[in-house]
Amino acid sequence: MDKIEIGEYVRTKKGIIAKAQLYQDAIYHEGSGKKAIFHNYEADKGIIADIDIAKHSKNIADLIEVGDYVNGERVFKIEKDPFIKGQTDIFFNRDEVDYWGDRSLSQITDKDIKSIVTKEQFNSVMYEVEGEK
């Protein structure tokens, strides 16, 4: 993975999104003279080890995946504009049906993002009710 800069957003393998604020190396010495070095980022969500980071970007929209929830709505589709750097269109599947009978898609850009709940976070707190047997 390429170098993560301070101020970048990171997404961990467990689905936590945070902003890197400080880089630190933690060195642990064993009694046998061996040492282990761990590379960590202090973030607004706590300490995150570099090996736990799945991806990073200066643009938070780059970390969003289909199935995440942005501004309270489930992300259905993501498209990046190749002509506008940093422009990402995020689509939500709406229940309304358009003129042609297709479900309509609502769209926001990275500038409209107010909150994100990753699919991993959503699944970790979800309670499933068992059906009748």
Side-chain angles (χ1 to χ4, degrees), residues 89-133:
D89 292 325
I90 300 164
F91 294 89
F92 303 109
N93 197 7
R94 299 287 188 174
D95 290 332
E96 301 94 33
V97 176
D98 65 15
Y99 178 77
W100 295 276
D102 295 326
R103 293 206 180 276
S104 61
L105 296 177
S106 183
Q107 160 186 6
I108 67 168
T109 64
D110 51 354
K111 294 180 240 27
D112 301 319
I113 297 171
K114 303 288 185 246
S115 65
I116 302 169
V117 176
T118 64
K119 57 189 170 202
E120 294 88 353
Q121 291 171 315
F122 183 84
N123 289 336
S124 74
V125 296
M126 180 173 51
Y127 178 78
E128 290 190 39
V129 179
E130 291 183 35
E132 291 184 33
K133 294 183 180 180

Side-chain angles (χ1 to χ4, degrees), residues 8-101:
E8 280 191 316
Y9 296 97
V10 297
R11 182 181 181 125
T12 68
K13 295 171 185 171
K14 293 183 178 180
I16 296 169
I17 293 180
K19 190 171 194 177
Q21 298 175 331
L22 175 71
Y23 175 80
Q24 59 188 7
D25 285 332
I27 302 172
Y28 295 94
H29 295 277
E30 294 181 14
S32 62
K34 295 180 182 178
K35 67 179 179 179
I37 301 174
F38 297 93
H39 311 286
N40 299 312
Y41 289 90
E42 191 171 307
D44 54 355
K45 301 278 180 153
I47 305 270
I48 299 173
D50 64 343
I51 60 171
D52 292 329
I53 296 173
K55 52 185 168 178
H56 63 94
S57 177
K58 291 181 181 180
N59 183 359
I60 197 165
D62 292 339
L63 304 182
I64 295 170
E65 298 177 356
V66 170
D68 290 345
Y69 289 78
V70 174
N71 300 345
E73 299 198 50
R74 190 170 186 273
V75 174
F76 176 70
K77 178 178 159 184
I78 300 171
E79 289 182 359
K80 298 191 184 308
D81 190 329
F83 301 107
I84 304 174
K85 186 175 180 174
Q87 180 66 45
T88 304
D89 292 325
I90 300 164
F91 294 89
F92 303 109
N93 197 7
R94 299 287 188 174
D95 290 332
E96 301 94 33
V97 176
D98 65 15
Y99 178 77
W100 295 276

